[in-house]
Amino acid sequence: DTEVTQTPKHLVMGMTNKKSLKCEQHMGHRAMYWYKQKAKKPPELMFVYSYEKLSINESVPSRFSPECPNSSLLNLHLHALQPEDSALYLCASSRGTNQNTDTQYFGPGTWLTVL
Amino acid sequence: TQLLEQSPQFLSIQEGENLTVYCNSSSVFSSLQWYRQEPGEGPVLLVTVVTGGEVKKLKRLTFQFGDARKDSSLHITAAQPGDTGLYLCAGVRGFKTIFGAGTRLFVKA
């Protein structure tokens, strides 16, 4: 099983809503990632978790709050988002043993629209 | 700021033609990866190159890592319509992966 699953596939939310994106993998990977991808742009790294601890936060606004409850799950809590936050949010995972060469497996993403 | 520049940004060719996509940076990376992304899906890794000067082949795709580990190329021989997609190069340093802007390839039958 080399699958990373993400739910929901599509999400529409207002600027005052609170919602969460979920990501799950059962490959035994110990590194998990959140990326943001705007239309016609490459993915941009947001957060990295290694062994359930936050390793990298790429200066992401606090209205995005990541959470890694266990080694298989990664959440992204959303609150008070802006319309410019509308994008495809991608989750990825990797073994976490060699950061320089490990393969990252990406999920299909969640298409987020903020009204 | 580490920046990866890809060229060309868009390429439309006939089936059977050859093409090369370039990825250049002023920074050295631990490794460089090439991904392919289909519409509505996440990127899928094609190859990782680690050693300067390394060449890897994947069927009709040939990947090369520059000697100084700052640049890479992807060459496709006899392109087919199934090769249509977005090709992304990505520089890796530790847990950070920095993507290039991508090359959107369209292969006409």
Side-chain angles (χ1 to χ4, degrees):
Chain A
D1 181 9
T2 58
E3 189 179 23
V4 176
T5 59
Q6 289 187 244
T7 56
K9 191 154 180 68
H10 298 274
L11 178 63
V12 179
M13 61 185 290
M15 289 188 284
T16 59
N17 292 157
K18 283 185 181 181
K19 296 287 185 183
S20 297
L21 308 185
K22 297 186 183 302
C23 175
E24 190 167 3
Q25 56 86 15
H26 295 287
M27 295 178 276
H29 289 175
R30 303 310 298 270
M32 296 186 77
Y33 312 75
W34 280 116
Y35 289 85
K36 174 182 177 180
Q37 186 174 23
K38 300 281 281 183
K40 300 191 187 302
K41 297 287 186 184
E44 293 180 358
L45 184 66
M46 299 174 71
F47 301 104
V48 180
Y49 273 83
S50 175
Y51 290 81
E52 294 93 71
K53 287 185 168 44
L54 184 63
S55 293
I56 294 176
N57 176 343
E58 289 287 87
S59 302
V60 179
S62 59
R63 57 185 183 268
F64 295 92
S65 176
E67 178 198 19
C68 190
N70 61 57
S71 60
S72 298
L73 293 174
L74 184 66
N75 298 321
L76 186 62
H77 302 298
L78 314 172
H79 174 54
L81 294 194
Q82 303 296 311
E84 58 265 29
D85 296 322
S86 299
L88 177 67
Y89 287 83
L90 292 161
C91 173
S93 71
S94 67
R95 284 187 302 176
T97 52
N98 185 335
Q99 304 95 307
N100 292 317
T101 57
D102 281 350
T103 297
Q104 287 189 41
Y105 293 86
F106 283 83
T110 292
W111 289 94
L112 174 67
T113 301
V114 182
L115 301 176
Chain B
T1 301
Q2 301 155 352
L3 184 64
L4 275 168
E5 294 184 358
Q6 267 187 257
S7 61
Q9 292 185 21
F10 182 81
L11 191 56
S12 180
I13 61 173
Q14 288 293 138
E15 181 178 6
E17 292 184 6
N18 302 332
L19 67 115
T20 302
V21 177
Y22 299 94
C23 179
N24 297 294
S25 174
S26 58
S27 301
V28 175
F29 292 99
S30 303
S31 66
L32 203 140
Q33 299 178 325
W34 285 91
Y35 290 82
R36 179 175 161 181
Q37 186 175 19
E38 303 288 346
E41 297 180 11
V44 175
L45 182 69
L46 297 173
V47 78
T48 299
V49 285
V50 179
T51 307
E54 184 176 2
V55 177
K56 282 192 174 178
K57 292 194 174 186
L58 187 66
K59 296 183 181 177
R60 293 177 293 102
L61 278 59
T62 301
F63 305 86
Q64 185 160 6
F65 202 11
D67 290 339
R69 289 162 57 219
K70 293 182 180 180
D71 55 270
S72 181
S73 64
L74 158 61
H75 182 79
I76 301 180
T77 304
Q80 299 176 1
D83 295 328
T84 293
L86 177 66
Y87 290 83
L88 295 158
C89 70
V92 179
R93 182 176 296 169
F95 279 124
K96 288 196 177 186
T97 299
I98 299 165
F99 284 86
T103 294
R104 198 164 295 278
L105 172 65
F106 181 65
V107 182
K108 294 176 281 189

